[in-house]
Amino acid sequence: MELLVIGGGAAGMMAALAAAEQGVKVTLLERNQKVGRKLYITGKGRCNVTNHCPPEEVLRNTPRNGKFLYSAVNRFPPQEVEAFFEGLGVPLKVERGNRVYPASDKAANIIDGLFQALRRKKVPVLHGRAVSLTPAEGGEGLAVETEEGQCYTCKAVILATGGCSYPLTGSTGDGYEMARQAGHTVTPLRPSLVPLESPDPCCGQMQGLSLRNVGLQIKTKTDKVVYQDMGELLFTHFGLSGPIILSASAHLTDYQGAGYRACLDLKPALDRQKLDARLVRDFAERANQNYSNALGGLAPQSMVPVLAARTGIPGDTKVHDLRREQRRTLLDALKNFEIPISGPRPIEEAIVTSGGVKVGEVDPRTMASKKCPGLFLAGELLDVDAYTGGFNLQIAWSTGRAAGLGAAAWLRD
């Protein structure tokens, strides 16, 4: 073979297409029966293709080794990614936060567009799980062995196997071992864009409750704010999930030492003074009601018993009997509802893997390995990861295209 691309995900398919455009004979090796399996679940099945923003915005949203991506993202920025998919016959649309989705809201259209493009470029898709990457006999080229016993000898290889999140989609970390076999260093792996666990039983009590437009601050035990945002949050049996929690997780690394806690502002549209005035007004209107009933106008029903417990005020207390300091206690609970964070959910539940092949061992222009001639690396396998909003897929498209063009140029030389 001239070029073997291992991994039929976002980065792998883009790499194969980029190399094929240069006239290279490309073969794609995918362990699943269908390509793009992880793409099916991105963006809740809608596929957040990229973010409609300039390249520098992508880099700002890539906290881990963003500088490494400067060349790749500028050579294939979001604008060109959008044009690429429009050219494949997949109309796109831009939504809140500049997130770009297929107009159909179906990830399948993105995958079908890529697969049909591979067919037009006559890129064969073989099925098998690559497990070994070594120099070929005689020292020329590389040899790839599969779990099924096949051995492929190639002049060049692009490794784009993904990370180790969502293993049911085929991302089981095989690429890290093959990168090690080729002499690469793999930095410690951890989950990113992942739900967070809490020992607080109130999360289980409110399981299934989704809060929109809630304020969030993640603080350390020294009260340092490491993340803040406003958006949607979900209580689960294990802790917290939802878009703002997944984004927050990308900023959290020292779960044991930092003593993280989530501080929720349940009424972010009102400052403390205005909220206190509302409480006074609401309580005057409900003076003869029980405290627990009055809370129903301030919070969702499943949160009422939790708030009552947090404030230490018996639910059957009459509103007209509440003292000013008790009202202030409720005000504190509404504006600073604290939940301790014990750690992330397992990496298998993460959207992306943080950590990976050390970027100092990879050429940022071509994605060529500095350790193994003829090897190129792309996508989540690399030690780069970004926040939510389409930025991680943008990284896959950009590094995949850079690897495909880099491998094509190397083969011509």
Side-chain angles (χ1 to χ4, degrees):
M1 293 181 181
E2 194 169 23
L3 173 63
L4 179 67
V5 178
I6 305 176
M13 286 190 282
M14 184 61 76
L17 287 170
E21 287 172 7
Q22 303 301 308
V24 174
K25 292 182 179 178
V26 186
T27 301
L28 185 63
L29 180 63
E30 164 58 37
R31 63 180 292 177
N32 295 313
Q33 288 304 304
K34 291 184 177 180
V35 294
R37 191 166 174 188
K38 191 174 180 180
L39 282 169
Y40 276 110
I41 61 173
T42 60
K44 297 181 180 178
R46 298 170 61 211
C47 191
N48 185 182
V49 180
T50 184
N51 193 282
H52 186 70
C53 68
E56 52 268 25
E57 186 71 16
V58 177
L59 304 184
R60 277 197 294 269
N61 280 275
T62 307
R64 193 170 182 87
N65 296 320
K67 289 182 180 179
F68 170 78
L69 298 169
Y70 181 86
S71 176
V73 171
N74 274 279
R75 290 171 69 197
F76 196 47
Q79 183 181 4
E80 292 192 26
V81 169
E82 292 177 50
F84 171 83
F85 283 104
E86 295 274 1
L88 294 184
V90 184
L92 304 174
K93 62 179 177 179
V94 181
E95 295 188 1
R96 180 180 58 84
N98 288 324
R99 288 169 165 82
V100 180
Y101 294 93
S104 64
D105 283 331
K106 294 179 180 178
N109 291 140
I110 296 294
I111 300 161
D112 290 344
L114 290 166
F115 183 64
Q116 294 305 321
L118 290 170
R119 292 185 67 178
R120 287 194 295 274
K121 292 294 182 183
K122 296 182 170 52
V123 175
V125 178
L126 305 180
H127 298 285
R129 180 181 182 181
V131 292
S132 172
L133 175 65
T134 57
E137 287 187 20
E140 288 192 18
L142 297 167
V144 174
E145 291 189 21
T146 70
E147 190 177 57
E148 296 77 14
Q150 294 290 327
C151 184
Y152 304 106
T153 303
C154 0
K155 293 180 181 178
V157 168
I158 296 176
L159 204 52
T161 54
C164 50
S165 56
Y166 288 131
L168 292 178
T169 65
S171 297
T172 52
D174 295 343
Y176 298 122
E177 181 54 37
M178 285 184 278
R180 289 190 187 97
Q181 292 169 2
H184 279 283
T185 305
V186 177
T187 64
L189 307 175
R190 65 178 183 84
S192 185
L193 305 185
V194 65
L196 300 175
E197 295 185 346
S198 172
D200 195 324
C202 82
C203 295
Q205 287 177 258
M206 297 185 288
Q207 179 180 347
L209 173 61
S210 178
L211 299 178
R212 297 180 183 274
N213 300 319
V214 63
L216 168 70
Q217 286 188 330
I218 301 291
K219 294 182 180 180
T220 66
K221 59 188 174 185
T222 60
D223 279 339
K224 179 183 177 182
V225 177
V226 296
Y227 180 81
Q228 61 182 1
D229 197 2
M230 190 170 79
E232 186 177 347
L233 175 145
L234 175 70
F235 291 98
T236 71
H237 66 284
F238 57 75
L240 300 171
S241 188
I244 56 172
I245 293 296
L246 299 184
S247 294
S249 71
H251 298 257
L252 311 184
T253 55
D254 183 17
Y255 288 94
Q256 298 302 315
Y260 296 124
R261 66 190 191 278
C263 303
L264 308 183
D265 184 349
L266 304 176
K267 302 292 180 183
L270 300 174
D271 61 26
R272 291 181 67 89
Q273 186 175 357
K274 289 180 179 177
L275 180 57
D276 191 37
R278 177 182 166 180
L279 291 180
V280 170
R281 186 175 65 250
D282 284 4
F283 285 176
E285 293 173 354
R286 301 167 183 244
N288 295 318
Q289 291 186 10
N290 287 342
Y291 173 60
S292 58
N293 291 336
L295 286 177
L298 295 165
Q301 198 56 45
S302 58
M303 184 175 260
V304 167
V306 175
L307 276 174
R310 287 275 178 117
T311 57
I313 304 170
D316 58 358
T317 303
K318 294 298 181 183
V319 170
H320 60 67
D321 289 332
L322 292 175
R323 300 186 303 276
R324 177 183 295 180
E325 56 267 28
Q326 289 177 311
R327 191 181 76 241
R328 293 292 170 82
T329 301
L330 173 59
L331 178 65
D332 290 338
L334 291 170
K335 294 296 287 183
N336 189 34
F337 190 95
E338 290 195 0
I339 299 172
I341 302 299
S342 55
R345 290 294 285 171
I347 198 167
E348 291 82 7
E349 296 179 29
I351 293 176
V352 297
T353 305
S354 183
V357 174
K358 194 173 181 179
V359 295
E361 300 172 353
V362 180
D363 185 322
R365 284 190 71 257
T366 63
M367 299 295 135
S369 165
K370 295 178 181 179
K371 298 286 187 178
C372 178
L375 176 63
F376 299 78
L377 306 104
E380 196 177 343
L381 189 66
L382 298 165
D383 184 16
V384 289
D385 60 271
Y387 303 141
T388 57
F391 300 108
N392 286 291
L393 268 183
Q394 175 63 44
I395 292 171
W397 308 130
S398 293
T399 58
R401 184 165 178 80
L405 295 176
W410 186 83
L411 287 165
R412 284 197 299 268
D413 293 342

